[in-house]
Amino acid sequence: MSKPFTLLSSPLQGFTDFRFRNAFHEFFGGIDVFYAPYIRFNGKLEIKSSYQRDLDPENNQVPHLVPQVMTADVDEFLLAANYVKSLGYYELNWNLGCPYPMVTKRGMGSGLIDNRDQIDLLLDRVHKEVDITISMKMRLGYEETDEILRSFETLAKYPLKSIAIHARTGKQLYKGGVHLDAFQKCVDVAPHTLYYNGDITTVEVFKSRQEAFPTIEHFMIGRGLIADPWLPFMIRNDMKDYPVDRWEKFRAFHDQIYAHYDEFLQGPTPIKMKMQGFWGYFAEQFDNPQKTFKKIKKAGNLRNYVTAVNEILNSVK
Ligand SMILES: Cc1cc2nc3c(=O)[nH]c(=O)nc-3n(C[C@H](O)[C@H](O)[C@H](O)COP(=O)(O)O)c2cc1C
C-alpha cells in the first residue's frame, strides 16, 4: 500500500487567486490544501481590497485555504494575523521564500532567512499577542543553502505548524535545479514538520521525491499544477494515463476562468494578458509548447484569442 501523503497547492501571485482555485477544485481536484498568494503591505497598515476579495470565505469554495503574508515587520504581521482570524482562518503562512531583489533588498522573503534576530523578534511578539497558528514557507537561504539550517535553532523555540521548503536559494530565482542534498540536511535536523516543494511536474518526479524523502508526507506543487492541472489528481490516484475526458475538462476549466476574469477585468487587453500568462504554463501540456504559446501571443484581439484556443484544443481532440 502506498504511503499516505497530502498535496498542497503552492501559491503563485497573479495566478492562483480564488477564481483559479475554485475552478481548479471543481474540474480537477486532488489538492488537499490551497495556499493563497501573499498579502503584502505597501507602507500603509491596511489590507488591500484585492487581498480582501481573495480571502473572503464567500468567494472561496475550496475545502481548505491557508492565507499567507510577506513582511518583516511585526505590526504588519499582527494586522494580517488579526485580519485573517476575523475571517475565520486559524493558520497564517509566513513567506520567507520570495526571491525578487525588490523584496529581498528590503529584508523580506528569502532575504529574511539569514536574519535570525528579526525572525525571533517577530515570532516572539506574534506568539505573545495573537492566538493563531503560524506555518512557514521558505527557501534554503538567499545566498547559501545552509542559511535555513542556522534558522532552525530560532524556529525551534516556536510551535510552528510546518515549514515548507522550496529547495532552491533566493539567488537562484527559478534557475538551476533544486538541491535535494541540502533538503535532506533539513530533514535530518528540522525541529518541525517539513513540506517538500520544488519542480514536481510529473507523477514520476513526485514518486522519486517520495522515495528520496520517505519521512516527508506533505508535497507542495506550484507551477506544475498550472502547467498540467490534472497532475495532483493523477498523483493522488497513481495514474499513468490521463482520464478520457482530459481535454473536455481542460476546455471547460479554461472557459470558466476566462469567463470569470472577463467579468472582472476591464477591457480586452487585461483579459488577454491574464490568459496569456496562464498559457505560458498551459502550453507545456502540448507537443510543441513554444509554438502553442506563440499562437496565443500572436492573437491580437479576443476574437483571435478564442480562435487560437479552439485551434490548439481541436488539434489534441
Ligand atoms: C509567478 C510566481 C508567483 C509566485 N507567488 C508566490 C507567492 O505568492 N507565495 C509563495 O509562497 N510563493 C510564490 N511563488 C513560489 C511558488 O509557490 C513555489 O514555491 C515555486 O514556484 C517552487 O515550486 P514549483 O517548482 O512547484 O513551482 C511564486 C512563483 C511564481 C513563479
Side-chain angles (χ1 to χ4, degrees):
M1 215 182 78
S2 68
K3 268 173 19 97
F5 60 88
T6 64
L7 292 178
L8 306 102
S9 157
S10 196
L12 266 76
Q13 190 70 253
F15 294 91
T16 64
D17 70 357
F18 71 93
R19 298 175 186 87
F20 178 90
R21 296 189 299 262
N22 290 340
F24 176 87
H25 182 66
E26 179 181 338
F27 290 101
F28 305 105
I31 285 291
D32 301 293
V33 180
F34 289 81
Y35 283 70
Y38 55 75
I39 295 173
R40 200 185 152 178
F41 297 87
N42 278 329
K44 280 194 206 148
L45 269 182
E46 62 185 30
I47 310 278
K48 270 193 347 196
S49 58
S50 58
Y51 302 137
Q52 294 192 19
R53 246 192 327 270
D54 192 44
L55 295 174
D56 186 343
E58 297 245 314
N59 288 337
N60 282 285
Q61 277 111 49
V62 300
H64 191 162
L65 178 66
V66 177
Q68 185 187 67
V69 66
M70 183 166 72
T71 182
D73 180 87
V74 178
D75 292 325
E76 289 183 357
F77 196 110
L78 285 170
L79 181 72
N82 284 311
Y83 177 70
V84 302
K85 253 191 94 171
S86 76
L87 298 178
Y89 298 99
Y90 65 84
E91 176 184 347
L92 180 59
N93 183 263
W94 190 16
N95 179 320
L96 268 69
C98 187
Y100 294 111
M102 266 171 52
V103 167
T104 56
K105 280 197 182 120
R106 292 183 195 164
M108 297 190 292
S110 58
L112 187 53
I113 299 171
D114 214 21
N115 186 351
R116 294 175 291 285
D117 288 345
Q118 189 59 23
I119 295 175
D120 199 17
L121 184 117
L122 188 145
L123 289 177
D124 180 58
R125 283 268 313 272
V126 170
H127 280 99
K128 281 180 182 145
E129 292 179 36
V130 55
D131 180 20
I132 194 160
T133 299
I134 297 170
S135 59
M136 313 281 293
K137 181 160 179 291
M138 306 177 72
R139 290 201 181 210
L140 296 164
Y142 179 74
E143 293 277 348
E144 305 293 340
T145 57
D146 58 0
E147 289 168 32
I148 193 168
L149 297 175
R150 293 196 288 273
S151 79
F152 282 165
E153 203 177 313
T154 309
L155 298 180
K157 292 161 62 179
Y158 302 98
L160 305 171
K161 178 165 184 243
S162 54
I163 304 173
I165 302 177
H166 174 194
R168 282 190 173 83
T169 58
K171 208 172 62 176
Q172 271 184 279
L173 299 172
Y174 290 90
K175 296 182 213 120
V178 284
H179 299 279
L180 298 183
D181 47 349
F183 183 78
Q184 180 60 52
K185 286 186 186 155
C186 297
V187 172
D188 292 340
V189 297
H192 300 287
T193 303
L194 294 191
Y195 295 6
Y196 175 83
N197 173 230
D199 293 1
I200 297 179
T201 48
T202 62
V203 177
E204 289 70 38
V205 174
F206 168 76
K207 284 186 174 174
S208 76
R209 297 291 184 270
Q210 214 187 13
E211 269 163 37
F213 307 113
T215 58
I216 298 294
E217 292 178 351
H218 308 277
F219 298 85
M220 287 182 111
I221 310 178
R223 293 163 298 171
L225 175 157
I226 306 178
D228 183 359
W230 280 112
L231 180 62
F233 179 83
M234 297 196 39
I235 291 175
R236 169 65 56 215
N237 295 292
D238 194 10
M239 289 160 72
K240 281 201 186 70
D241 300 320
Y242 284 90
V244 285
D245 58 354
R246 172 182 185 183
W247 294 112
E248 285 97 283
K249 279 267 180 73
F250 180 76
R251 161 113 241 178
F253 164 75
H254 168 276
D255 291 355
Q256 177 156 317
I257 58 173
Y258 179 93
H260 287 182
Y261 285 116
D262 193 32
E263 205 176 287
F264 170 66
L265 296 166
Q266 305 290 317
T269 306
I271 171 74
K272 167 75 201 323
M273 293 315 289
K274 188 81 190 174
M275 295 312 294
Q276 188 172 306
F278 281 115
W279 278 96
Y281 292 103
F282 291 164
E284 287 171 39
Q285 296 167 83
F286 300 88
D287 285 344
N288 190 336
Q290 273 182 350
K291 202 171 138 203
T292 304
F293 184 61
K294 223 161 134 194
K295 214 172 209 162
I296 295 290
K297 221 172 140 190
K298 244 178 47 196
N301 57 41
L302 285 183
R303 219 165 53 121
N304 291 351
Y305 171 80
V306 172
T307 307
V309 171
N310 283 337
E311 273 177 31
I312 292 166
L313 292 180
N314 287 341
S315 76
V316 287
K317 262 210 290 205

